[in-house]
Amino acid sequence: IATPVGGVLDVLNDGVNGKIIPINNADALVKAIEELMQNSEQVSRMAQLARSKIETEFTLKRELNTNLRIYQTLLQLDDSKIP
């Protein structure tokens, strides 16, 4: 259960590998907790899918390659385009 802040939406898909609730909404949090407490199979499935996504999409190699591409792009910019 998470709110849509920071990189949460990069990792979690509501109802698939997690539960997204609105920010500052205690009622939604209570409802999400109650729903998940009633369905342990759904929780297990979400947990497995969340772990699988992290292991496949957020590997060290992939993150390093992403950062490398960003740095390479920045190095190619004309100094006049840098604030």
Side-chain angles (χ1 to χ4, degrees):
I1 301 172
T3 57
V5 297
V8 168
L9 296 179
D10 294 333
V11 177
L12 296 182
N13 299 355
D14 189 34
V16 177
N17 64 352
K19 185 77 176 154
I20 307 295
I21 60 168
I23 298 169
N24 295 324
N25 189 328
D27 292 335
L29 176 60
V30 169
K31 183 179 176 184
I33 292 170
E34 289 174 344
E35 286 175 8
L36 294 176
M37 286 180 64
Q38 298 299 317
N39 195 339
S40 61
E41 289 178 16
Q42 181 183 14
V43 171
S44 293
R45 185 175 60 252
M46 285 180 169
Q48 289 172 344
L49 291 171
R51 182 179 181 111
S52 177
K53 184 168 186 170
I54 293 295
E55 290 176 345
T56 59
E57 295 186 22
F58 296 92
T59 64
L60 178 58
K61 183 176 182 177
R62 185 171 178 172
E63 293 301 310
L64 290 174
N65 285 331
T66 298
N67 287 336
L68 180 59
R69 283 193 307 273
I70 292 169
Y71 291 137
Q72 288 171 334
T73 301
L74 290 172
L75 288 172
Q76 294 172 3
L77 288 178
D78 181 352
D79 288 343
S80 65
K81 295 180 182 177
I82 299 175

